[in-house]
C-alpha cells in the first residue's frame, strides 16, 4: 500500500490536535507509516516513551487517509490486566474518543453496542477474544472486516511469561494464562491484510523471537523498532543486610542525605525480602 506523504502528515497533525501534543516522536511516526504500508509493527520502547500512542493514533490516521467519518475505523487491543484497560479507556475518553473494555461487568446493552461497532477502541483480554465464541465471531462481522485497522498486543512480553510452557527443565508446566500462547490464531479470523501492532518495554532478543513465533508473524517482513531500555539516570545496587546490625546503621548515609536535602534528594526505592525488613 502506498501512503501519500502530505495526507499522512495531515493525519499525524490530527493526532497531535486530538491528544494536545506538539508532535510525535520519530519512532512513533515511523511505526505508523509502516503500519499503513501494510507491515506488522513491533515496537520495543522504554516505559513512558509513548508506545500506546502508536495504537491510539492508528484509527485516527486511518479515518484521515481513507476519508472516513471520525470514529469509523476500529482497533482491538489485547491487554493483560483489567485495571490497565480501564485506565486506557478513561484516558481516551478524556479526549472525546470512544473506547470500551470487554469484561463480565459490562451490561449486555453495552456489549451489543460493541457488536454494532459503536466504539473505536476495543480493549480485551486474550481469554475474552479467544475463548468466548461471541467475541471470536466479532472479527468475522462485515463491520469489523471493513473497518478494523489493526490488532494490537500490548505488553507483549506477557505472551512468553504467562502464555507458554516453562523452560526446558519444566516442559510439562501448564501456562499461567494459556490463551496468551494462542493469540496467533486471532489473525486467521480477520481479513488477510489486517496488520498487527506488538508493543513492549521489556523484551530480550530471545523474547522477541518467541513473541513473533507465538503470534505466527514473520520477523523479516515486519517493521521493527527497537529502542534501548537503558536509563542513565537510574542506578541499581544490592546490599547485604546482617540481621545483627540495625537497619538505621546500614542506611545511615541515605538517611543523612534525606535529612540534609529533604525533597531535593535523589529518588530512591528500597526493595526488601520480608515485611520485617
Amino acid at each position: 500500500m502506498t501512503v501519500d506523504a502530505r495526507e499522512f502528515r495531515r493525519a499525524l497533525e490530527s493526532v497531535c490536535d486530538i491528544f494536545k501534543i506538539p508532535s510525535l516522536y520519530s519512532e512513533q511516526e515511523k511505526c505508523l507509516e509502516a503500519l499503513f504500508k501494510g507491515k506488522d509493527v513491533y515496537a520495543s520502547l522504554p516505559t513512558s516513551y509513548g508506545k500506546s500512542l502508536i495504537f491510539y493514533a492508528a484509527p485516527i490516521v486511518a479515518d484521515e487517509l481513507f476519508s472516513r467519518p471520525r470514529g469509523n475505523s476500529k482497533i482491538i487491543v489485547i491487554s493483560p490486566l483489567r485495571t490497565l484497560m480501564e485506565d486506557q479507556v478513561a484516558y481516551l475518553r478524556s479526549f472525546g474518543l470512544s473506547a470500551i473494555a470487554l469484561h463480565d461487568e459490562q451490561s449486555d446493552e453495552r456489549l451489543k453496542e460493541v457488536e454494532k461497532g459503536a466504539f473505536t477502541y476495543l480493549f480485551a483480554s486474550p481469554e475474552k477474544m479467544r475463548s468466548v465464541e461471541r467475541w471470536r465471531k466479532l472479527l468475522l462481522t462485515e463491520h469489523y472486516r471493513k473497518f478494523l485497522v489493526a490488532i494490537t498486543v500490548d505488553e507483549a512480553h506477557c505472551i512468553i511469561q504467562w502464555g507458554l510452557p516453562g523452560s526446558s527443565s519444566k516442559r510439562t508446566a501448564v501456562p499461567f494464562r494459556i490463551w496468551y500462547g494462542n493469540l496467533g490464531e486471532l489473525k486467521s479470523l480477520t481479513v488477510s491484510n489486517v496488520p498487527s501492532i506488538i508493543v513492549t518495554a521489556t523484551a530480550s532478543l530471545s523474547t522477541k523471537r518467541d513473541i513473533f513465533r507465538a503470534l505466527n508473524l514473520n520477523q523479516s517482513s515486519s517493521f521493527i523498532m527497537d529502542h534501548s531500555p537503558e536509563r542513565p539516570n537510574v542506578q541499581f545496587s544490592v546490599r547485604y543486610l546482617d540481621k545483627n546490625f540495625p537497619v538505621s546503621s546500614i542506611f545511615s548515609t541515605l538517611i543523612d542525605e534525606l535529612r540534609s536535602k529533604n525533597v531535593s534528594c535523589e529518588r530512591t526505592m528500597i526493595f526488601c525480602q520480608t515485611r520485617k525488613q
Side-chain angles (χ1 to χ4, degrees):
M1 175 182 175
T2 303
V3 178
D4 182 273
R6 283 182 294 182
E7 290 182 1
F8 182 67
R9 181 55 52 186
R10 282 197 295 269
L12 295 183
E13 289 172 358
S14 294
V15 172
C16 294
D17 289 342
I18 289 172
F19 289 101
K20 298 178 173 54
I21 54 177
S23 63
L24 276 72
Y25 292 131
S26 62
E27 290 88 345
Q28 294 167 328
E29 291 187 6
K30 290 175 182 176
C31 287
L32 287 166
E33 184 178 9
L35 181 75
F36 286 97
K37 287 181 177 178
K39 289 183 174 290
D40 295 311
V41 172
Y42 172 90
S44 179
L45 298 170
T47 300
S48 301
Y49 201 87
K51 298 182 296 297
S52 299
L53 191 55
I54 297 169
F55 58 83
Y56 291 166
I60 299 170
V61 173
D63 285 341
E64 293 286 339
L65 292 180
F66 305 139
S67 301
R68 296 170 177 169
R70 178 67 55 80
N72 265 31
S73 298
K74 305 288 183 283
I75 193 161
I76 292 175
V77 183
I78 305 299
S79 184
L81 300 171
R82 177 175 165 180
T83 52
L84 178 59
M85 293 186 229
E86 293 287 11
D87 285 347
Q88 291 183 314
V89 166
Y91 178 76
L92 289 165
R93 286 179 177 173
S94 72
F95 292 102
L97 300 168
S98 59
I100 191 170
L102 283 184
H103 53 72
D104 293 336
E105 293 183 20
Q106 293 285 9
S107 67
D108 193 57
E109 181 180 348
R110 295 286 277 177
L111 297 180
K112 286 180 180 178
E113 290 178 1
V114 172
E115 292 173 311
K116 293 176 182 177
F119 300 94
T120 300
Y121 303 88
L122 175 58
F123 292 83
S125 67
E127 291 80 5
K128 272 283 184 286
M129 293 307 298
R130 288 292 293 110
S131 67
V132 180
E133 188 68 14
R134 180 179 188 178
W135 306 122
R136 284 170 55 86
K137 289 181 177 179
L138 183 72
L139 297 173
L140 300 173
T141 62
E142 181 180 353
H143 184 87
Y144 278 86
R145 290 176 73 86
K146 182 178 181 180
F147 293 113
L148 184 63
V149 175
I151 294 177
T152 298
V153 180
D154 197 8
E155 307 293 348
H157 54 276
C158 293
I159 294 171
I160 311 307
Q161 295 175 350
W162 292 348
L164 300 180
S167 63
S168 57
S169 62
K170 299 179 180 179
R171 286 300 179 193
T172 57
V174 177
F176 170 51
R177 294 176 66 175
I178 194 168
W179 291 110
Y180 249 115
N182 290 274
L183 282 176
E185 296 176 20
L186 273 182
K187 194 94 166 178
S188 65
L189 300 177
T190 67
V191 292
S192 59
N193 60 343
V194 172
S196 299
I197 302 174
I198 315 303
V199 292
T200 180
T202 53
S204 63
L205 289 175
S206 61
T207 297
K208 178 169 71 173
R209 182 186 63 244
D210 290 342
I211 287 172
F212 273 89
R213 184 182 297 124
L215 294 176
N216 297 326
L217 299 179
N218 188 331
Q219 189 168 335
S220 62
S221 62
S222 299
F223 178 80
I224 296 176
M225 177 61 70
D226 272 322
H227 199 295
S228 173
E230 182 181 358
R231 294 295 184 93
N233 61 324
V234 178
Q235 296 180 337
F236 295 90
S237 64
V238 179
R239 296 288 299 272
Y240 171 73
L241 297 184
D242 190 323
K243 63 181 180 181
N244 296 317
F245 289 90
V247 173
S248 57
S249 65
I250 295 171
F251 292 105
S252 59
T253 303
L254 178 59
I255 293 170
D256 291 341
E257 185 179 357
L258 284 166
R259 284 173 174 165
S260 62
K261 294 185 177 180
N262 204 341
V263 294
S264 62
C265 182
E266 293 290 336
R267 297 292 185 267
T268 303
M269 297 180 67
I270 300 174
F271 295 88
C272 301
Q273 287 184 315
T274 66
R275 290 185 179 183
K276 186 176 181 181
Q277 287 181 333

